[in-house]
Amino acid sequence: MSKESAEKPWGGRFSEATDAFVEEFTASIDFDQRMYKQDIAGSKAHASMLTKVGILTEEEKQSIHEGLDAIQQDIEAGKLGWSVSLEDVHMNIEARLTDRIGITGKKLHTGRSRNDQVATDIRLWLREHIDFINEELLRLQKGLVDLAEREAATILPGFTHLQVAQPITFGHHMMAWYEMLVRDSERLMDCRKRVNRMPLGAAALAGTTYPIDREYTAELLGFDHPANNSLDAVSDRDFAIEFCATASIIMMHLSRFSEELVLWTSAQFNFINLPDRFCTGSSIMPQKKNPDVPELVRGKTGRVTGSLITLLMLMKSQPLAYNKDNQEDKEPLFDTVDTLLGSLRAYADMVPNITVNADAMREAAMQGFSTATDLADYLVGKNLPFRDAHEVVGKAVAYGVEKQKDLSEMNLTELQQFSSAIEKDVFNILSLEGSVSARNHLCGTAPKQVLLQVESARKKLLL
Ligand code: ARG
């Protein structure tokens, strides 16, 4: 990064040079250089539009386009030295363009301001990254569907209050995560619509006196349409806030998933194994294999939500239109994208490689009287009102606790102490398989339903 003072494109009305510290303090080039591609694409489209409406000649446009392409190559080859005294990516690129092509370079900024330029660049950058994020989300969804199919009939205890509640299938559990991530994709795509509106043409705040053609620029840049109000277009960052809110919800989902993976890999649960390549050891305890990826993702959730709050506070109370405050939007936004992409990528790689310990899960489901509700439902089938059935089963459970026996381990005489309505057929429903298979309706845990959900997910994901 070069620190020597360059001539400022806005220097005309100033009588002394910027204070050296202020120059560094106000510069954004350290971080906004990430948007160089979008800045160049926006400038090329702007130059094409200026040519279409007769403000630039065809030769001038040609020269600007070639100059910008050459600058892009230099940046990508690591040959362009960014200058702090040129403040940001916009002025750096524009100054380089003028160095390269001369006076024509100075015409590029006709009818535009850095205010509509930066708002456009961020939207283009975010739009591209929303698409990368959604690809990873879809890859993770696919991994969950594959795992759900593989373990459609594998039984584990379902929990409420982290206490054994009822037996469920592992496939059903994975499809719960899938459903959450599908809504996340929907939210992301919905947010993308509001990202994809073009600020260019708003200029500094009020529009421009040139006969610009914003529909044309929008079309060149793939925007759905140009923004309707110049003041709004240059100033609001609600689209970035909305994205960070969506990202926070995705991370919240991943943190819940993470918590379960951490619990399930512990010696106490021992429900699943994560491949060694997704875990690390301890430098002191040789036996340790720690679930670092889920733990780290759980931890990073706070960071993403923190960025959401940062952006909300950044926008709070800002008067119209652009204020320099808005330069602070980029770091939290970039960090959110990086964190989310990394977390999704790690999960999409890891999830298809999860293996299950069916015996340990089964054994856990046998503890905690997980088929108690089934027994109550059975008694309702024998004409007992549900509340009475609940009472009968409560007594049977108390007996089981005392004798250390699951309901399915009691014999018929033992069970009949609690209700004479209980008959031999009760054993069909007291088994774990009987219990899960009986919940055979849309949204139920039966293996059949899991496979139906897998099938419809595959159709949706076009797998
Ligand atoms: N670097 C600035 C930002 O990120 C660009 C816009 C500056 N506009 C201005 N009028 N100073 O917001």
Side-chain angles (χ1 to χ4, degrees), residues 438-449:
R439 289 169 168 77
N440 190 17
H441 55 82
L442 175 70
C443 99
T445 194
K448 258 194 197 154
Q449 292 298 325

Side-chain angles (χ1 to χ4, degrees), residues 28 32 88 90 114-115 118 322 326-327 330:
S28 53
D32 67 14
D88 56 27
H90 326 292
R114 274 186 297 153
N115 296 352
V118 68
Y322 176 86
N326 278 0
Q327 183 165 287
K330 288 163 209 66

Side-chain angles (χ1 to χ4, degrees), residues 66 95 159 168 177 182 209 221 229 440:
E66 284 168 14
F159 297 91
I168 55 169
W177 293 118
V182 168
T209 54
L221 291 170
N229 183 291
N440 190 17

Side-chain angles (χ1 to χ4, degrees), residues 92-160:
N92 265 269
I93 289 177
E94 196 190 322
R96 288 310 132 114
L97 182 67
T98 303
D99 293 346
R100 222 173 233 284
I101 67 171
I103 190 160
T104 306
K106 294 188 180 177
K107 296 190 178 179
L108 171 63
H109 213 51
T110 312
R112 116 182 146 170
S113 149
R114 274 186 297 153
N115 296 352
D116 58 345
Q117 194 179 352
V118 68
T120 302
D121 291 1
I122 309 170
R123 285 170 184 267
L124 288 173
W125 187 91
L126 184 55
R127 184 181 74 187
E128 183 178 33
H129 285 81
I130 283 177
D131 293 343
F132 295 152
I133 289 165
N134 202 46
E135 273 172 37
E136 292 299 320
L137 257 177
L138 294 177
R139 203 158 69 81
L140 175 52
Q141 288 167 20
K142 179 187 178 307
L144 284 166
V145 170
D146 291 345
L147 187 54
E149 183 172 45
R150 214 164 72 215
E151 307 296 345
T154 308
I155 291 174
L156 77 160
F159 297 91
T160 59

